[in-house]
Amino acid sequence: STQSTGHFPRRMATGDDSLFVVVVGLGGVGSHAAHLLVRGRTPRLRLVDFDRVSLSSLNRHAVATRRDVGVSKVEAAARHFSSIAPACQIQTRDCLFEASAASDLLEAWDGKRPDLVLDCIDDVDTKADLLEYCVTQGLAVISSLGAGAKADPTWVCVGGLTDVFHDPLAVKLRAHLRKRNVDWGCVKCVYLSLIHI
């Protein structure tokens, strides 16, 4: 919507056919985020995850079915996404995000750097690695924070990491970034507000 475009690169609101988004983590958050990007006609998408689809993850995954159990999450997602939007170009990286591999996993596509990176990782150390790389390289990034067992979407907020209160994951993440001397002022995140507006 026009109300939310201020949090995203301007090209995402104008239908730029060169738009390139990287989604890191394809679990309960990342698979749904990637799914919406595909249905929103994002032309280029790179999916990064090391995990496999399991029976226990089917209730959280956006598109995986029982037939996908045992298959890598990136492969399963790419197959389903291609059937939804054949014109969407999809790259898959079936591996764990690590600081040592950041430059490869977030590398340019045909000379174009990512317009946006979505951090959908659930491990604090790995999230910090990803955010540190994005901040130091000047890549736009949005990080997902804790929302487990919550059902009211009117509590969802998008804002700066500095604006988040009473979120244990945000507290830990800021502590990790502080130790690394990373300026997280430019990091946007999706979180739940305990103050209902």
Side-chain angles (χ1 to χ4, degrees), residues 47-126:
L47 310 175
V48 181
D49 199 306
F50 72 100
D51 206 1
R52 299 292 183 265
V53 176
S54 64
L55 281 173
S56 63
S57 68
L58 288 179
N59 68 321
R60 299 185 299 276
H61 201 278
V63 294
T65 66
R66 293 179 70 91
R67 183 177 296 181
D68 298 311
V69 171
V71 176
S72 70
K73 288 182 177 179
V74 292
E75 180 185 338
R79 184 169 63 249
H80 287 285
F81 294 162
S82 293
S83 68
I84 294 169
C88 180
Q89 300 178 59
I90 301 173
Q91 291 183 346
T92 60
R93 298 288 189 272
D94 182 9
C95 59
L96 177 70
F97 183 89
E98 295 179 308
S100 60
S103 60
D104 291 328
L105 296 177
L106 301 179
E107 67 181 350
W109 184 335
D110 291 339
K112 180 175 175 53
R113 286 172 18 119
D115 292 294
L116 180 65
V117 177
L118 295 186
D119 160 33
C120 304
I121 300 169
D122 55 13
D123 176 76
V124 178
D125 287 324
T126 311

Side-chain angles (χ1 to χ4, degrees), residues 10-71:
R10 185 175 299 277
R11 289 182 295 280
M12 294 193 75
T14 60
D16 186 345
D17 60 8
S18 68
L19 186 71
F20 168 30
V21 180
V22 181
V23 181
V24 185
L26 285 178
V29 174
S31 65
H32 286 273
H35 185 201
L36 291 173
L37 286 168
V38 168
R39 290 192 179 276
R41 297 169 57 184
T42 300
R44 290 184 174 187
L45 198 60
R46 179 179 296 155
L47 310 175
V48 181
D49 199 306
F50 72 100
D51 206 1
R52 299 292 183 265
V53 176
S54 64
L55 281 173
S56 63
S57 68
L58 288 179
N59 68 321
R60 299 185 299 276
H61 201 278
V63 294
T65 66
R66 293 179 70 91
R67 183 177 296 181
D68 298 311
V69 171
V71 176

